[in-house]
Structures are given as C-alpha cells and as structure tokens.
Amino acid sequence: MSEGYKEYRDKVLNFIEEHENWRSHTINLIASENITSPSVTRAVASGFMHKYAEGWPKARYYQGCRYIDEVELIGVDLFCRLFKSDFADLRPISGTNANQAVFFGLAQPGDHIISLHTSHGGHISHAGFGSAGMRGLNVHTWPFDNEEFNIDVDKAERLIREVEPRLVVFGGSLYPFPHPVKELAPVAREVGAHVMYDAAHVLGLIAGGQFQDPLREGAEIITSSTHKTFPGPQGGLILYKNLGEDTAKLQWAIFPGVLSNHHLHHMAGKVVTAAEMLEYGQKYATQVVKNAKALAEAMAEEGFKVIGEDKGYTESHQVIVDVSDLHEGAGGWAAPLLEEAGIILNKNLLPWDPLEKVEKPSGLRIGVQEMTRVGMMENDMKEIAHFIKRVLIDREEPIKVKKDVYYFRQGFQKVYYSFDYGLPLGE
Ligand code: DSN
C-alpha cells in the first residue's frame, strides 16, 4: 500500500488553509470578487457536486435528480422574482459561458455585433480576440467619450444604423456609471438587433435596485457571472424576456450548445444567494454604493486623481484611480506594492491607454463590495484610503502598513447581509 503521495494532499489542504487565513486579514478590493456566506459555502460544498443533471428540471437525461430538480425550480422562481424577468437559466457555469450561449444562439458567423472595447472597460469575451470573435462575429466597438467615461450616445446611434448589428452588448468590467441602454436599445431594436446586457459586475446592485435596471430600460437579455457584487459562488446565469421564436434558439444554445452538465453544487449556491439578496439585497447594495462614493472622496482628499469627480466619482461598486503620475510603471508598480501591504486590487487600462500598456496601465480598479459584506461603512473607507496613501504617496515600507491593515481587518470577520449573521451594526 503506497502512502507516498499523501504529502501532496497535505500540502493542498495546508495551502487552502493558509489562503483563507491570509485573505481574511487582507483588504480585498478586487472589483470582480466577493465572499460567500456560510450557508452558500455549505450549499457548494455538498453532495450536489457528485451528480449529472443534463436537461431541464423534471426532464433530465439522468436518473436520481429529484432533490436537484426541487432546488433548481426554487432557483428559477427566485431569480425571476429578484430581477423581474420572464425566464432565468442558472445553468451557465460562468459569465463567459453565458455570453457564449447568446453568441451561439442569437447570432451566426458573419453577423455584426457592437460591444465595449477592452480599453474602455469591455470584457474579453465580448472582443474580437475573445469568444465573440471566435464565434465568427464581426465585432465593432462602441464609440467612447473619455470625459463622460461612458459610451458616446450620438456616435453610437450612428454606428448602430450604419452597421445594422445582430446584437448589441452593454455592460463590461469597468464602468462606474450606468450605460445608455434606455437611449440606444430602441435604436438597436429598430434595426433588428437583440439587446444584451452583461451585468457581471453590477448584478448585486441591480438585485438591490441601486443601479440601472436593464430589463426595464430595453435590454432583452442579461448575462452574468454570479460572484462579483452578486455575492454567490463562481458561476453564471442568463435572465431573459420572451424572445419569440429566438427563445428556443437561446435555450438550445445553453444546452446542449455550450455546456453539457451544469455544476449543480454551484447552482444550489446561487439559489441560496438569491434568497439572501431578496431578503437583504436592497440594504447591501445601498451600502456598497455609499462605500464606493466614500472611498472615492477619501482617496481624492488624500491626494489621488480619482476618475469622475464632476459626476460624483461613481454610481457602482467601482472606484477608478489614475496613478500614472505617481511613479514609473503606474498601476503595474502600485498593485504589487499594495499587495505587500495586504491591500489587494488590480491594475487596469484606462480608456486613453494604448493596449501595449497592459502591463503598466495608468489605472487602478477598486471595488468595495467584499469589504461592505464584512460590515465596513463609510468611515472605514477613510481608513482604507489612508492605508493606500501611506504606501503609494508617503512611500512607507509596505510591511509596516501591513501590520496596521492586519489589526484593522481583524475587526471584520463575519459575512453580513446573510441569514447567518443578518445585518451589520449600524444598518
Ligand atoms: N470580468 C473580469 C474582471 O472584471 O475581473 C474577469 O473576467
């Protein structure tokens, strides 16, 4: 009997434990991450991970799905209620997978689509070099207004009429302000395009009624991941209106088009998260936006160049900072230095950066959703801004700041806006 490989098991389990200890003592500001409540974590670490359930609830290609069917049916009902959509499909296993389903179901190779350029905040799956291009779609990018940090509505309207796309895509990975769906969706519909909104970053804010409401503003389809402002496990989903004869095409593209089995344990985690958001989502999303504004203001007061000052800095969970004049390497210098101090965020291209600057972009992208979830309020955002200033402007040794970050973070160890811990003090 060989026990020669047990050390690898031990190493893996140790690394997981070390990772969890480390993360619980850092200030995580990655705008695309979050943490799950104990209930959601339990749902994911469950026997649902051991099943196949291809197909629809009550119409599976596998036996033994009775409990899984019950959970998925509860989930479809809760997501339709939460987002007031006609249909909810919890099967996509990621946001990119959800986008692929739309690209396969509602467009053909050679069709034109319009989406946001990656330098302007678009997601890689919307790009010519990503899933959209690999589906054979001709990708055009939205004209962008750097001053407004948003899609240029007049030029976009002209582009839609000129290109006559099959699909237009709103949403992306970097956008502090709502996209002009209301203004452009009617134009897109006029030329026969479907209107899709990739809500990956802002799904939790939409659930809480604190950002734009794409399905009411003219979008027909929301694709999303489920783990950014929406505090679920990693995964994806599609919410959609009745698309007429295209409904069946989209459904066929989801399964068997771009996935076979969905990840049932993640599906269960999404459903528990939907219940949390129906109960606590409004308060959570309100605090996320308040915290983002408070952090932006505090960073500006500390001397940082924060994007969007004349528009109140942000209406989402994101704060965008231009650090290009602080140091050679800009974001590529700042993000690793902050990691040494226990502050985790990512460097980001800003709209005026050429793509070659991807390793040394001008910007930092900051998201406050995870720190909101552990109970931080506006005053705590001031502390965070000061920690960041000590590292990037005062040039204090990161290790010294790290100690203070550690003790500060020690006071925030529960996951609020959940059935496990309820609301934080002050809510
Ligand atoms: N959506 C990306 C991000 O914003 O970090 C990950 O794919």
Side-chain angles (χ1 to χ4, degrees):
M1 192 174 68
S2 165
E3 287 188 35
Y5 296 106
K6 180 173 171 291
E7 67 179 286
Y8 294 100
R9 190 278 313 254
D10 295 344
K11 275 186 187 173
V12 170
L13 297 184
N14 280 339
F15 280 133
I16 290 171
E17 202 168 316
E18 283 186 30
H19 171 84
E20 289 178 350
N21 284 336
W22 165 81
R23 181 149 174 173
S24 66
H25 288 89
T26 61
I27 295 173
N28 188 40
L29 302 170
I30 302 265
S32 50
E33 296 180 359
N34 213 322
I35 40 171
T36 51
S37 67
S39 302
V40 173
T41 305
R42 164 71 184 105
V44 175
S46 71
F48 273 30
M49 80 174 81
H50 308 135
K51 274 300 295 169
Y52 263 93
E54 287 176 357
W56 296 93
K58 312 273 186 198
R60 304 291 192 186
Y61 291 91
Y62 290 81
Q63 296 312 120
C65 296
R66 59 190 284 196
Y67 302 112
I68 284 160
D69 286 354
E70 295 301 331
V71 171
E72 193 160 332
L73 287 171
I74 292 171
V76 168
D77 175 42
L78 293 188
F79 274 94
C80 285
R81 279 202 247 170
L82 188 55
F83 294 98
K84 300 183 196 70
S85 63
D86 297 335
F87 297 88
D89 201 312
L90 310 185
R91 291 176 297 177
I93 58 169
S94 70
T96 293
N97 186 220
N99 291 343
Q100 287 165 338
V102 178
F103 299 153
F104 274 81
L106 302 183
Q108 294 295 322
D111 282 348
H112 296 266
I113 74 162
I114 308 178
S115 59
L116 207 55
H117 194 279
T118 41
S119 290
H120 300 158
H123 188 249
I124 50 174
S125 61
H126 307 165
F129 62 80
S131 298
M134 294 184 97
R135 166 65 173 145
L137 307 180
N138 287 312
V139 180
H140 306 260
T141 56
W142 290 119
F144 200 76
D145 182 332
N146 288 352
E147 294 296 312
E148 292 294 308
F149 215 95
N150 213 329
I151 295 166
D152 182 316
V153 174
D154 292 337
K155 289 185 184 159
E157 180 171 345
R158 287 202 288 280
L159 183 67
I160 294 171
R161 294 194 191 287
E162 181 192 317
V163 166
E164 298 194 346
R166 176 73 184 135
L167 187 67
V168 299
V169 181
F170 295 99
S173 298
L174 183 78
Y175 60 124
F177 306 113
H179 278 164
V181 180
K182 256 197 312 277
E183 292 81 352
L184 295 173
V187 187
R189 299 295 295 138
E190 222 180 275
V191 303
H194 280 303
V195 180
M196 158 181 159
Y197 187 105
D198 183 336
H201 268 265
V202 294
L203 191 71
L205 305 182
I206 295 171
Q210 301 306 309
F211 201 63
Q212 65 189 142
D213 187 357
L215 293 178
R216 252 53 55 199
E217 292 175 23
E220 304 162 273
I221 307 134
I222 287 180
T223 59
S224 192
S225 55
T226 49
H227 49 266
K228 297 181 168 78
T229 52
F230 191 83
Q234 293 201 337
L237 57 75
I238 306 184
L239 308 160
Y240 54 104
K241 294 179 180 168
N242 190 336
L243 304 172
E245 62 185 20
D246 284 348
T247 297
K249 290 185 191 160
L250 178 60
Q251 291 170 345
W252 187 254
I254 295 167
F255 171 84
V258 297
L259 60 86
S260 61
N261 197 39
H262 48 310
H263 296 171
L264 303 160
H265 50 317
H266 287 239
M267 182 274 292
K270 294 175 206 177
V271 178
V272 177
T273 313
E276 284 178 352
M277 292 301 279
L278 280 159
E279 186 83 22
Y280 298 108
Q282 193 268 340
K283 286 202 157 81
Y284 158 72
T286 302
Q287 192 58 48
V288 168
V289 177
K290 277 189 196 167
N291 282 351
K293 283 182 185 293
L295 181 64
E297 280 161 20
M299 296 229 16
E301 272 165 30
E302 295 284 10
F304 288 99
K305 199 194 281 181
V306 184
I307 300 298
E309 182 182 358
D310 57 333
K311 296 162 64 67
Y313 296 115
T314 183
E315 292 177 35
S316 74
H317 61 304
Q318 294 182 351
V319 177
I320 305 166
V321 183
D322 182 346
V323 290
S324 57
D325 50 9
L326 286 186
H327 197 277
E328 160 69 22
W333 158 79
L337 202 62
L338 286 168
E339 180 170 353
E340 287 178 41
I343 298 166
I344 314 301
L345 45 68
N346 63 283
K347 60 181 185 240
N348 219 98
L349 284 168
L350 296 182
W352 41 90
D353 285 338
L355 273 179
E356 310 80 73
K357 277 187 77 175
V358 69
E359 293 301 330
K360 295 180 177 180
S362 300
L364 296 179
R365 184 185 69 166
I366 302 175
V368 299
Q369 65 289 345
E370 182 170 327
M371 292 303 98
T372 303
R373 216 113 199 270
V374 296
M376 291 191 193
M377 301 283 165
E378 291 97 310
N379 273 340
D380 303 307
M381 298 299 116
K382 291 185 186 160
E383 299 280 340
I384 293 176
H386 192 62
F387 286 137
I388 296 175
K389 181 215 181 212
R390 285 172 58 190
V391 178
L392 298 186
I393 295 181
D394 301 343
R395 308 284 166 89
E396 248 186 79
E397 282 293 312
I399 193 76
K400 282 195 194 152
V401 180
K402 187 178 183 178
K403 282 197 190 116
D404 295 338
V405 165
Y406 185 95
Y407 289 115
F408 170 72
R409 182 67 166 84
Q410 183 77 21
F412 299 95
Q413 294 297 317
K414 290 183 179 149
V415 183
Y416 293 104
Y417 308 97
S418 67
F419 298 114
D420 306 278
Y421 295 113
L423 293 170
L425 275 178
E427 277 285 10

